[in-house]
Amino acid sequence: KAGVTQTPRYLIKTRGQQVTLSCSPISGHRSVSWYQQTPGQGLQFLFEYFSETQRNKGNFPGRFSGRQFSNSRSEMNVSTLELGDSALYLCASTQGGREINTEAFFGQGTRLTVV
Amino acid sequence: AQTVTQSQPEMSVQEAETVTLSCTYDTSESDYYLFWYKQPPSRQMILVIRQEAYKQQNATENRFSVNFQKAAKSFSLKISDSQLGDAAMYFCARPTSYGKLTFGQGTILTVHP
């Protein structure tokens, strides 16, 4: 069974631009979550999508948005990029459902650098 | 507060020796899961071990085992017979809401040959 796939692996963008990251979950998994990882703030939860609906979100500004497609693939978009958005963005998938106590499987991440 | 705390920013161990990484957490729930994840330089977060709070027995996966103290809200990871490939950042984590894992700050483990 293929794992969680994130594309692209690396991105360099200029301040003010926007960026879209993609995540394909494990086959059969319906929940996709996104995290931002930085040396200063550690791992912070951005949002979670389940069955094409945002079910949970963290404390990030509206510049951070996402969506999920009918095949459970998810995209995350960051508009008007700031230098502070430079980070490793991780995607995780779980089977989803009403149970929160499930194992999450992570992709290799997208390293975003804003210059 | 749904916090997870790792008080050891860095640890080191000699190859073949044993090391224990500490984690404490806060919860008012009685049934929950706890995880240890490993993040090597390749950056992919890999699940090392899982503990279900309602189980009395400490989880074990090969050289990895946990010491789960529910009353103390403590969840430490013991790595026996350490190998060079164990060098990584280790995170303690707990699911706290839909799709959300709350992570500790991480512990960088160095393994010396």
Side-chain angles (χ1 to χ4, degrees):
Chain A
K1 195 187 259 191
V4 179
T5 304
Q6 288 188 248
T7 56
R9 294 287 308 279
Y10 301 91
L11 268 177
I12 300 176
K13 290 287 188 178
T14 305
R15 265 184 306 174
Q17 287 187 313
Q18 75 166 19
V19 67
T20 299
L21 313 182
S22 179
C23 173
S24 293
I26 290 172
S27 178
H29 284 193
R30 295 164 63 197
S31 167
V32 174
S33 300
W34 290 89
Y35 294 85
Q36 181 194 66
Q37 185 177 19
T38 58
Q41 299 297 317
L43 281 149
Q44 294 188 286
F45 173 74
L46 281 152
F47 32 65
E48 183 244 13
Y49 284 84
F50 174 72
S51 291
E52 301 178 64
T53 302
Q54 187 183 84
R55 189 168 59 168
N56 199 2
K57 69 187 299 286
N59 297 320
F60 277 81
R63 300 186 297 107
F64 292 82
S65 63
R67 59 178 176 169
Q68 187 180 34
F69 301 95
S70 58
N71 62 357
S72 294
R73 188 178 71 87
S74 176
E75 288 182 347
M76 190 192 96
N77 184 275
V78 188
S79 63
T80 320
L81 283 165
E82 300 176 0
L83 295 179
D85 297 333
S86 295
L88 178 66
Y89 290 88
L90 291 168
C91 156
S93 79
T94 69
Q95 291 185 325
R98 298 173 65 85
E99 175 56 62
I100 71 167
N101 287 310
T102 58
E103 294 176 22
F105 296 86
F106 285 81
Q108 289 190 287
T110 295
R111 170 75 66 188
L112 172 65
T113 303
V114 182
V115 298
Chain B
Q2 308 268 28
T3 56
V4 177
T5 303
Q6 292 177 250
S7 58
Q8 305 156 316
E10 296 182 33
M11 292 284 285
S12 65
V13 64
Q14 291 292 133
E15 201 174 2
E17 302 273 298
T18 295
V19 64
T20 299
L21 309 183
S22 301
C23 172
T24 58
Y25 59 93
D26 190 20
T27 184
S28 56
E29 299 161 22
S30 59
D31 189 17
Y32 48 89
Y33 282 19
L34 294 161
F35 301 106
W36 277 99
Y37 280 90
K38 168 185 175 182
Q39 188 178 38
S42 67
R43 308 175 333 205
Q44 184 162 16
M45 201 78 76
I46 300 163
L47 180 65
V48 174
I49 199 164
R50 177 184 84 176
Q51 176 74 45
E52 297 167 35
Y54 71 89
K55 290 187 176 179
Q56 304 276 8
Q57 192 171 5
N58 289 327
T60 299
E61 287 286 342
N62 301 314
R63 297 182 296 107
F64 298 88
S65 61
V66 301
N67 182 5
F68 174 52
Q69 302 288 329
K70 191 173 183 179
K73 297 192 175 100
S74 169
F75 179 59
S76 60
L77 174 70
K78 185 170 85 169
I79 306 174
S80 304
D81 186 25
S82 296
Q83 301 175 0
L84 295 177
D86 294 334
M89 175 88 89
Y90 286 81
F91 291 95
C92 175
R94 188 170 84 76
T96 51
S97 56
Y98 286 126
K100 178 182 178 181
L101 284 168
T102 296
F103 288 88
Q105 302 89 327
T107 298
I108 299 172
L109 178 66
T110 302
V111 181
H112 297 290

